[in-house]
Amino acid sequence: MPVATTNRPVPVLYKAIDRPVFLLAMPHVATRTEFIVTAGESPKRLDHFLANREPYFSRTALQRLIEDGHITVGGQVVKPSHKVRPGDCIVLVVPRPEPLAINPEPIPLVILYEDEFLLVLNKPAGLVVHPAPGHWTGTLVNALLHHMQSGEGHLSTIGGKERPGLVHRLDKETTGILVVAKNDQTHRKLAGQFKAHSIIRVYEAFVWEGPKTREGRIELSIGRDTKDRKTFSARTTNPKESLTSYRVKERFGAAAAHVELFPGTGRTHQLRVHLKAIGCPILGDQTYGGKKVMDVGGIGIPRVMLHAKVLGFIHPVSHKMVTFSAELPEDMITVLNALKGKEDE
């Protein structure tokens, strides 16, 4: 249990020379928190222990702090996998980081719903969700910060300085619905629903050839690939249970199929990896399907044909079930019509 706690992360707005920039930073001094492992607790990994005790940081963030020496056990620097035991004193010191300037940018957003606690939007293809190497500007976060300037409200800080407001994410080429939190309490409640897998999510995709059965389940533990760290697969040292259900909506001969996907878990690249595993990679997904999925019988595929169609959750404040949907984007409709036309030839 924590025995001493200091200030928490806060968003800070600074004024630049020519335009405002948002710097998501910690307070001006380092924060220090101590935890004592209580009697009766069985040995467990340090990162797992802290993830259950410290709601303000993701396990990935905690692992980074441990590896950087900012978390010690008994005064010693250890690894994230270190097993903690009753009586251990764990000290978490979060240093004052170098603030990362994220400029608000007037990027158009298709907002489906917004109130003082959250907003729901329909992400277009090609829009990176948050700043990262190679994409420091032109992201959804830049657009959200600009949107917040023009109205009232803020973004949650739990996701860190690069991911304000982001409860979940979609890949760059994936289109569809995202929910964004405007404060930390909303963020925690939404994240809890994602963690409990109680969120309603439906995706649509066009896939190579198509599943053998009309409906089915794909249960395959996946993690970061041991040979290619940019991809995910069952060939991993850290497998995580993953479940995807599917239903075939339409077949286009033996060449392709239109499927609905119902993720039971939310692993990175899960849908793409699972469909590859059953021999039906998503059209346009060269990473997991190779060159063959970039062209189907002369039909060029412009991007990964994956769309987050439905998102439903319990509103954190009203406690009512809310569900949002977004129809297929134009480029997927164009490919769909081409596939139908090809079948009729």
Side-chain angles (χ1 to χ4, degrees), residues 10 36 96 121 140 196 242 306:
V10 294
I36 302 296
R96 180 187 177 191
L121 57 88
L140 175 62
S242 305
L306 181 62

Side-chain angles (χ1 to χ4, degrees), residues 115-127:
D115 59 27
E116 61 184 300
F117 309 104
L118 56 85
L119 64 85
V120 178
L121 57 88
N122 185 7
K123 187 187 89 68
L127 181 63

Side-chain angles (χ1 to χ4, degrees), residues 106-158:
I107 300 170
L109 292 173
V110 179
I111 296 176
L112 305 178
Y113 172 82
E114 181 174 14
D115 59 27
E116 61 184 300
F117 309 104
L118 56 85
L119 64 85
V120 178
L121 57 88
N122 185 7
K123 187 187 89 68
L127 181 63
V128 175
V129 172
H130 59 79
H135 298 284
W136 293 118
T137 62
T139 72
L140 175 62
V141 166
N142 296 101
L144 288 170
L145 292 175
H146 183 271
H147 176 72
M148 291 300 109
Q149 283 184 335
S150 61
E152 295 184 359
H154 303 281
L155 295 171
S156 69
T157 64
I158 290 176

Side-chain angles (χ1 to χ4, degrees), residues 131-205:
H135 298 284
W136 293 118
T137 62
T139 72
L140 175 62
V141 166
N142 296 101
L144 288 170
L145 292 175
H146 183 271
H147 176 72
M148 291 300 109
Q149 283 184 335
S150 61
E152 295 184 359
H154 303 281
L155 295 171
S156 69
T157 64
I158 290 176
K161 56 190 177 183
E162 295 96 350
R163 306 184 184 189
L166 299 183
V167 182
H168 63 129
R169 62 184 293 275
L170 296 175
D171 292 336
K172 176 183 178 181
E173 294 190 15
T174 302
T175 56
I177 301 180
L178 274 171
V179 59
V180 176
K182 290 188 176 182
N183 58 62
D184 289 358
Q185 183 177 13
T186 296
H187 191 130
R188 283 193 291 269
K189 289 183 177 180
L190 288 172
Q193 294 182 56
F194 275 96
K195 185 175 182 179
H197 309 306
S198 60
I199 297 285
I200 296 173
R201 291 184 292 170
V202 181
Y203 287 72
E204 291 196 47

Side-chain angles (χ1 to χ4, degrees), residues 265-287:
T265 52
R267 310 304 181 195
T268 302
H269 292 187
Q270 175 180 313
L271 301 180
R272 299 164 65 185
V273 175
H274 277 183
L275 287 165
K276 174 189 177 181
I278 63 171
C280 306
I282 298 175
L283 298 187
D285 189 357
Q286 188 167 352
T287 299

